Amino acid sequence: MKYLLLLLLPAYLLIACSPPAPPRQFPYFRQTLNYDCAPSCLKMIYAYYGEEYPETELMRRLKTDSTGTTLQAMYDLSNQLGFTTMLVSVNMDFLTENIKLPCIVDWNGNHVVVVYKVDSTHIYVADPADTFHVYDKQAFMTSWLHSNSENKGIALVVYKL
């Protein structure tokens, strides 16, 4: 019996001392064309809430073409699918302190990305054209505000209750 305990002790210590599991990774989907960032961003947010939609279906329902997709179309489709949706123009403080994440933001005036996490110094972004990025607030504001003199950017908030 003593030997059995000695054999099991290393396995117990291995399990008990293992680092905690990482937090759930934010779902990421890369865009497949140079103009389908909007369907990819919505697909990420929908998957975050446990809902799966094929990108081709989203593109069809959003009427995505070679010029892209409008934020209004993204807003409308998300409402049709039963999500609570808000399209807002907000400053950086409001985005980081009051907006429910994840949300979609306008990026450089011709692209959209997902903000999925914010901490005191960084903004965490899933860019469907690229990968995950971590920006300091100033770098984030450069692309989000992109020449907006009012220091406000566009955010599409999409969530399930």
Side-chain angles (χ1 to χ4, degrees), residues 15-56:
I15 293 168
C17 297
S18 297
R24 183 177 89 185
Q25 177 75 323
F26 185 78
Y28 177 79
F29 297 99
R30 188 173 175 90
Q31 65 188 75
T32 55
L33 304 167
N34 65 352
Y35 53 84
D36 66 340
C37 56
S40 296
C41 284
L42 284 177
K43 187 173 177 167
M44 286 185 239
I45 290 186
Y46 297 163
Y48 176 82
Y49 289 104
E51 297 198 17
E52 303 282 330
Y53 295 93
E55 186 175 359
T56 53

Short mmCIF file of all heavy atoms in Angstrom, two decimals, residues 15-56:
data_model
loop_
_atom_site.label_atom_id
_atom_site.label_comp_id
_atom_site.label_asym_id
_atom_site.label_seq_id
_atom_site.Cartn_x
_atom_site.Cartn_y
_atom_site.Cartn_z
N ILE A 15 -1.02 17.13 -11.12
CA ILE A 15 -2.35 17.69 -11.35
C ILE A 15 -2.58 18.90 -10.44
O ILE A 15 -3.02 19.96 -10.88
CB ILE A 15 -3.44 16.62 -11.11
CG1 ILE A 15 -3.32 15.53 -12.18
CG2 ILE A 15 -4.82 17.24 -11.10
CD1 ILE A 15 -4.14 14.29 -11.87
N ALA A 16 -2.24 18.79 -9.17
CA ALA A 16 -2.49 19.86 -8.21
C ALA A 16 -1.64 21.09 -8.48
O ALA A 16 -2.04 22.21 -8.20
CB ALA A 16 -2.24 19.36 -6.79
N CYS A 17 -0.45 20.92 -9.05
CA CYS A 17 0.46 22.03 -9.27
C CYS A 17 0.41 22.56 -10.70
O CYS A 17 1.18 23.45 -11.05
CB CYS A 17 1.89 21.61 -8.92
SG CYS A 17 2.07 21.17 -7.19
N SER A 18 -0.45 22.02 -11.52
CA SER A 18 -0.55 22.50 -12.90
C SER A 18 -1.07 23.92 -12.90
O SER A 18 -1.89 24.29 -12.06
CB SER A 18 -1.51 21.62 -13.71
OG SER A 18 -1.02 20.31 -13.78
N PRO A 19 -0.58 24.73 -13.84
CA PRO A 19 -1.11 26.10 -13.91
C PRO A 19 -2.59 26.08 -14.27
O PRO A 19 -3.07 25.12 -14.90
CB PRO A 19 -0.27 26.75 -15.02
CG PRO A 19 0.27 25.62 -15.81
CD PRO A 19 0.37 24.44 -14.89
N PRO A 20 -3.31 27.10 -13.86
CA PRO A 20 -4.74 27.13 -14.20
C PRO A 20 -4.93 27.19 -15.71
O PRO A 20 -4.06 27.67 -16.44
CB PRO A 20 -5.24 28.41 -13.53
CG PRO A 20 -4.03 29.23 -13.29
CD PRO A 20 -2.88 28.29 -13.16
N ALA A 21 -6.04 26.69 -16.16
CA ALA A 21 -6.33 26.72 -17.59
C ALA A 21 -6.44 28.17 -18.05
O ALA A 21 -6.92 29.03 -17.30
CB ALA A 21 -7.65 25.99 -17.87
N PRO A 22 -5.96 28.47 -19.26
CA PRO A 22 -6.07 29.86 -19.75
C PRO A 22 -7.53 30.24 -19.93
O PRO A 22 -8.39 29.38 -20.11
CB PRO A 22 -5.33 29.81 -21.09
CG PRO A 22 -5.36 28.38 -21.50
CD PRO A 22 -5.39 27.58 -20.24
N PRO A 23 -7.82 31.54 -19.85
CA PRO A 23 -9.21 31.95 -20.07
C PRO A 23 -9.64 31.58 -21.48
O PRO A 23 -8.82 31.41 -22.38
CB PRO A 23 -9.15 33.47 -19.90
CG PRO A 23 -7.73 33.84 -20.06
CD PRO A 23 -6.91 32.64 -19.68
N ARG A 24 -10.94 31.48 -21.64
CA ARG A 24 -11.48 31.11 -22.96
C ARG A 24 -10.95 32.08 -24.01
O ARG A 24 -11.04 33.29 -23.86
CB ARG A 24 -13.01 31.18 -22.90
CG ARG A 24 -13.67 30.74 -24.20
CD ARG A 24 -15.14 30.77 -24.05
NE ARG A 24 -15.59 32.10 -24.43
CZ ARG A 24 -16.82 32.52 -24.33
NH1 ARG A 24 -17.74 31.76 -23.84
NH2 ARG A 24 -17.16 33.73 -24.71
N GLN A 25 -10.38 31.51 -25.05
CA GLN A 25 -9.84 32.32 -26.14
C GLN A 25 -10.99 32.95 -26.93
O GLN A 25 -12.00 32.31 -27.17
CB GLN A 25 -8.98 31.43 -27.04
CG GLN A 25 -8.41 32.11 -28.24
CD GLN A 25 -7.24 33.04 -27.91
OE1 GLN A 25 -7.22 33.70 -26.90
NE2 GLN A 25 -6.27 33.08 -28.78
N PHE A 26 -10.81 34.19 -27.32
CA PHE A 26 -11.82 34.85 -28.13
C PHE A 26 -11.83 34.19 -29.51
O PHE A 26 -10.78 33.98 -30.10
CB PHE A 26 -11.52 36.35 -28.25
CG PHE A 26 -12.58 37.10 -28.98
CD1 PHE A 26 -13.76 37.43 -28.34
CD2 PHE A 26 -12.43 37.44 -30.31
CE1 PHE A 26 -14.77 38.10 -29.01
CE2 PHE A 26 -13.43 38.10 -30.99
CZ PHE A 26 -14.60 38.43 -30.34
N PRO A 27 -13.01 33.87 -30.05
CA PRO A 27 -13.05 33.20 -31.36
C PRO A 27 -12.54 34.12 -32.46
O PRO A 27 -12.87 35.31 -32.49
CB PRO A 27 -14.54 32.88 -31.56
CG PRO A 27 -15.27 33.75 -30.61
CD PRO A 27 -14.33 34.10 -29.49
N TYR A 28 -11.72 33.58 -33.33
CA TYR A 28 -11.13 34.38 -34.40
C TYR A 28 -11.43 33.74 -35.75
O TYR A 28 -11.27 32.53 -35.92
CB TYR A 28 -9.61 34.50 -34.22
CG TYR A 28 -8.97 35.25 -35.35
CD1 TYR A 28 -9.01 36.64 -35.39
CD2 TYR A 28 -8.35 34.59 -36.40
CE1 TYR A 28 -8.46 37.35 -36.44
CE2 TYR A 28 -7.79 35.28 -37.45
CZ TYR A 28 -7.84 36.66 -37.47
OH TYR A 28 -7.30 37.35 -38.52
N PHE A 29 -11.87 34.57 -36.69
CA PHE A 29 -12.09 34.12 -38.07
C PHE A 29 -11.42 35.13 -39.00
O PHE A 29 -11.71 36.32 -38.95
CB PHE A 29 -13.59 34.02 -38.39
CG PHE A 29 -14.29 33.00 -37.54
CD1 PHE A 29 -15.01 33.38 -36.43
CD2 PHE A 29 -14.21 31.66 -37.85
CE1 PHE A 29 -15.64 32.45 -35.63
CE2 PHE A 29 -14.83 30.71 -37.06
CZ PHE A 29 -15.56 31.11 -35.95
N ARG A 30 -10.56 34.61 -39.84
CA ARG A 30 -9.86 35.46 -40.80
C ARG A 30 -10.76 35.69 -42.01
O ARG A 30 -11.44 34.79 -42.46
CB ARG A 30 -8.56 34.78 -41.22
CG ARG A 30 -7.67 35.66 -42.06
CD ARG A 30 -6.33 34.95 -42.30
NE ARG A 30 -5.51 35.72 -43.19
CZ ARG A 30 -4.65 36.64 -42.81
NH1 ARG A 30 -4.48 36.87 -41.52
NH2 ARG A 30 -3.94 37.31 -43.68
N GLN A 31 -10.75 36.92 -42.52
CA GLN A 31 -11.52 37.19 -43.72
C GLN A 31 -10.88 36.47 -44.90
O GLN A 31 -9.67 36.29 -44.95
CB GLN A 31 -11.64 38.70 -43.96
CG GLN A 31 -10.34 39.41 -44.27
CD GLN A 31 -10.54 40.92 -44.30
OE1 GLN A 31 -10.67 41.55 -43.26
NE2 GLN A 31 -10.56 41.50 -45.49
N THR A 32 -11.72 36.05 -45.86
CA THR A 32 -11.21 35.28 -46.99
C THR A 32 -11.00 36.14 -48.23
O THR A 32 -10.26 35.75 -49.12
CB THR A 32 -12.18 34.12 -47.33
OG1 THR A 32 -13.49 34.67 -47.55
CG2 THR A 32 -12.24 33.13 -46.18
N LEU A 33 -11.65 37.27 -48.27
CA LEU A 33 -11.50 38.20 -49.39
C LEU A 33 -11.04 39.54 -48.85
O LEU A 33 -11.09 39.78 -47.65
CB LEU A 33 -12.85 38.37 -50.12
CG LEU A 33 -13.48 37.07 -50.64
CD1 LEU A 33 -14.92 37.31 -51.04
CD2 LEU A 33 -12.67 36.52 -51.80
N ASN A 34 -10.63 40.44 -49.73
CA ASN A 34 -10.15 41.73 -49.22
C ASN A 34 -11.28 42.69 -48.84
O ASN A 34 -11.01 43.79 -48.39
CB ASN A 34 -9.18 42.39 -50.21
CG ASN A 34 -9.85 42.75 -51.51
OD1 ASN A 34 -11.00 42.39 -51.75
ND2 ASN A 34 -9.14 43.46 -52.37
N TYR A 35 -12.53 42.26 -48.99
CA TYR A 35 -13.65 43.15 -48.66
C TYR A 35 -14.68 42.51 -47.73
O TYR A 35 -15.78 43.03 -47.59
CB TYR A 35 -14.34 43.63 -49.95
CG TYR A 35 -14.78 42.52 -50.88
CD1 TYR A 35 -15.99 41.85 -50.69
CD2 TYR A 35 -13.98 42.14 -51.95
CE1 TYR A 35 -16.39 40.84 -51.54
CE2 TYR A 35 -14.38 41.13 -52.82
CZ TYR A 35 -15.58 40.49 -52.60
OH TYR A 35 -15.96 39.47 -53.46
N ASP A 36 -14.35 41.42 -47.09
CA ASP A 36 -15.34 40.77 -46.22
C ASP A 36 -14.96 40.81 -44.74
O ASP A 36 -15.22 39.89 -43.98
CB ASP A 36 -15.61 39.34 -46.67
CG ASP A 36 -14.42 38.41 -46.53
OD1 ASP A 36 -13.29 38.92 -46.43
OD2 ASP A 36 -14.63 37.19 -46.51
N CYS A 37 -14.38 41.94 -44.31
CA CYS A 37 -14.04 42.09 -42.90
C CYS A 37 -15.31 42.15 -42.03
O CYS A 37 -15.32 41.62 -40.92
CB CYS A 37 -13.16 43.31 -42.67
SG CYS A 37 -13.83 44.86 -43.28
N ALA A 38 -16.36 42.77 -42.53
CA ALA A 38 -17.58 42.92 -41.73
C ALA A 38 -18.21 41.56 -41.41
O ALA A 38 -18.49 41.28 -40.22
CB ALA A 38 -18.58 43.83 -42.45
N PRO A 39 -18.44 40.68 -42.40
CA PRO A 39 -18.98 39.37 -42.05
C PRO A 39 -18.07 38.59 -41.09
O PRO A 39 -18.56 37.90 -40.20
CB PRO A 39 -19.11 38.64 -43.39
CG PRO A 39 -19.10 39.71 -44.41
CD PRO A 39 -18.33 40.85 -43.85
N SER A 40 -16.76 38.73 -41.26
CA SER A 40 -15.83 38.02 -40.38
C SER A 40 -15.92 38.54 -38.95
O SER A 40 -15.89 37.76 -37.99
CB SER A 40 -14.40 38.16 -40.89
OG SER A 40 -14.27 37.54 -42.15
N CYS A 41 -16.05 39.85 -38.79
CA CYS A 41 -16.20 40.43 -37.44
C CYS A 41 -17.50 39.97 -36.79
O CYS A 41 -17.52 39.60 -35.61
CB CYS A 41 -16.14 41.96 -37.50
SG CYS A 41 -14.48 42.61 -37.74
N LEU A 42 -18.58 40.00 -37.55
CA LEU A 42 -19.85 39.53 -36.99
C LEU A 42 -19.78 38.05 -36.64
O LEU A 42 -20.29 37.63 -35.59
CB LEU A 42 -21.00 39.79 -37.98
CG LEU A 42 -21.47 41.24 -38.07
CD1 LEU A 42 -22.55 41.37 -39.13
CD2 LEU A 42 -21.97 41.75 -36.73
N LYS A 43 -19.12 37.27 -37.48
CA LYS A 43 -18.98 35.84 -37.20
C LYS A 43 -18.24 35.62 -35.88
O LYS A 43 -18.61 34.75 -35.09
CB LYS A 43 -18.25 35.17 -38.36
CG LYS A 43 -18.19 33.68 -38.24
CD LYS A 43 -17.61 33.04 -39.50
CE LYS A 43 -17.53 31.54 -39.28
NZ LYS A 43 -17.28 30.81 -40.48
N MET A 44 -17.22 36.44 -35.60
CA MET A 44 -16.49 36.33 -34.33
C MET A 44 -17.41 36.63 -33.15
O MET A 44 -17.41 35.90 -32.15
CB MET A 44 -15.30 37.30 -34.31
CG MET A 44 -14.15 36.89 -35.17
SD MET A 44 -12.76 38.04 -34.94
CE MET A 44 -12.55 38.65 -36.60
N ILE A 45 -18.16 37.71 -33.26
CA ILE A 45 -19.04 38.10 -32.15
C ILE A 45 -20.16 37.09 -31.96
O ILE A 45 -20.47 36.69 -30.84
CB ILE A 45 -19.56 39.53 -32.34
CG1 ILE A 45 -18.39 40.49 -32.14
CG2 ILE A 45 -20.71 39.83 -31.38
CD1 ILE A 45 -18.73 41.94 -32.16
N TYR A 46 -20.76 36.65 -33.05
CA TYR A 46 -21.82 35.64 -32.93
C TYR A 46 -21.27 34.36 -32.28
O TYR A 46 -21.92 33.77 -31.42
CB TYR A 46 -22.42 35.32 -34.29
CG TYR A 46 -23.13 36.48 -34.98
CD1 TYR A 46 -23.41 36.42 -36.34
CD2 TYR A 46 -23.50 37.64 -34.31
CE1 TYR A 46 -24.05 37.46 -37.00
CE2 TYR A 46 -24.13 38.69 -34.96
CZ TYR A 46 -24.41 38.59 -36.30
OH TYR A 46 -25.05 39.62 -36.95
N ALA A 47 -20.07 33.93 -32.69
CA ALA A 47 -19.46 32.73 -32.11
C ALA A 47 -19.17 32.94 -30.62
O ALA A 47 -19.30 32.01 -29.82
CB ALA A 47 -18.19 32.37 -32.87
N TYR A 48 -18.77 34.14 -30.24
CA TYR A 48 -18.53 34.45 -28.83
C TYR A 48 -19.78 34.16 -28.00
O TYR A 48 -19.70 33.70 -26.87
CB TYR A 48 -18.12 35.92 -28.71
CG TYR A 48 -17.94 36.40 -27.29
CD1 TYR A 48 -16.74 36.15 -26.62
CD2 TYR A 48 -18.94 37.10 -26.63
CE1 TYR A 48 -16.55 36.59 -25.31
CE2 TYR A 48 -18.76 37.55 -25.33
CZ TYR A 48 -17.56 37.28 -24.67
OH TYR A 48 -17.40 37.72 -23.38
N TYR A 49 -20.95 34.42 -28.58
CA TYR A 49 -22.22 34.16 -27.90
C TYR A 49 -22.78 32.78 -28.22
O TYR A 49 -23.94 32.49 -27.92
CB TYR A 49 -23.24 35.25 -28.24
CG TYR A 49 -22.87 36.57 -27.58
CD1 TYR A 49 -22.32 37.60 -28.32
CD2 TYR A 49 -23.06 36.76 -26.22
CE1 TYR A 49 -21.96 38.80 -27.72
CE2 TYR A 49 -22.70 37.95 -25.61
CZ TYR A 49 -22.14 38.97 -26.37
OH TYR A 49 -21.78 40.14 -25.75
N GLY A 50 -21.96 31.93 -28.84
CA GLY A 50 -22.35 30.54 -29.08
C GLY A 50 -23.19 30.31 -30.32
O GLY A 50 -23.79 29.24 -30.46
N GLU A 51 -23.25 31.27 -31.21
CA GLU A 51 -24.04 31.11 -32.43
C GLU A 51 -23.12 31.04 -33.64
O GLU A 51 -22.21 31.86 -33.77
CB GLU A 51 -25.04 32.25 -32.57
CG GLU A 51 -26.04 32.24 -31.43
CD GLU A 51 -27.28 33.05 -31.71
OE1 GLU A 51 -27.55 33.36 -32.88
OE2 GLU A 51 -27.98 33.36 -30.74
N GLU A 52 -23.36 30.07 -34.49
CA GLU A 52 -22.51 29.84 -35.67
C GLU A 52 -23.29 30.17 -36.94
O GLU A 52 -24.42 29.73 -37.11
CB GLU A 52 -22.06 28.38 -35.72
CG GLU A 52 -21.32 27.91 -34.48
CD GLU A 52 -19.88 28.36 -34.44
OE1 GLU A 52 -19.28 28.52 -35.52
OE2 GLU A 52 -19.36 28.55 -33.33
N TYR A 53 -22.67 30.95 -37.81
CA TYR A 53 -23.24 31.26 -39.11
C TYR A 53 -22.13 31.16 -40.15
O TYR A 53 -21.04 31.71 -39.94
CB TYR A 53 -23.81 32.69 -39.14
CG TYR A 53 -24.99 32.89 -38.22
CD1 TYR A 53 -24.82 33.36 -36.92
CD2 TYR A 53 -26.28 32.58 -38.64
CE1 TYR A 53 -25.90 33.52 -36.08
CE2 TYR A 53 -27.36 32.75 -37.80
CZ TYR A 53 -27.16 33.22 -36.51
OH TYR A 53 -28.23 33.38 -35.67
N PRO A 54 -22.38 30.49 -41.27
CA PRO A 54 -21.37 30.42 -42.32
C PRO A 54 -21.10 31.82 -42.89
O PRO A 54 -22.02 32.63 -43.03
CB PRO A 54 -21.99 29.52 -43.39
CG PRO A 54 -23.13 28.83 -42.72
CD PRO A 54 -23.57 29.71 -41.59
N GLU A 55 -19.86 32.08 -43.20
CA GLU A 55 -19.49 33.40 -43.72
C GLU A 55 -20.24 33.72 -45.01
O GLU A 55 -20.67 34.85 -45.23
CB GLU A 55 -17.99 33.48 -43.95
CG GLU A 55 -17.54 34.87 -44.35
CD GLU A 55 -16.04 35.00 -44.47
OE1 GLU A 55 -15.32 34.02 -44.24
OE2 GLU A 55 -15.60 36.10 -44.80
N THR A 56 -20.45 32.70 -45.85
CA THR A 56 -21.16 32.94 -47.11
C THR A 56 -22.60 33.40 -46.86
O THR A 56 -23.11 34.26 -47.56
CB THR A 56 -21.16 31.69 -48.00
OG1 THR A 56 -21.66 30.58 -47.25
CG2 THR A 56 -19.76 31.37 -48.51
#
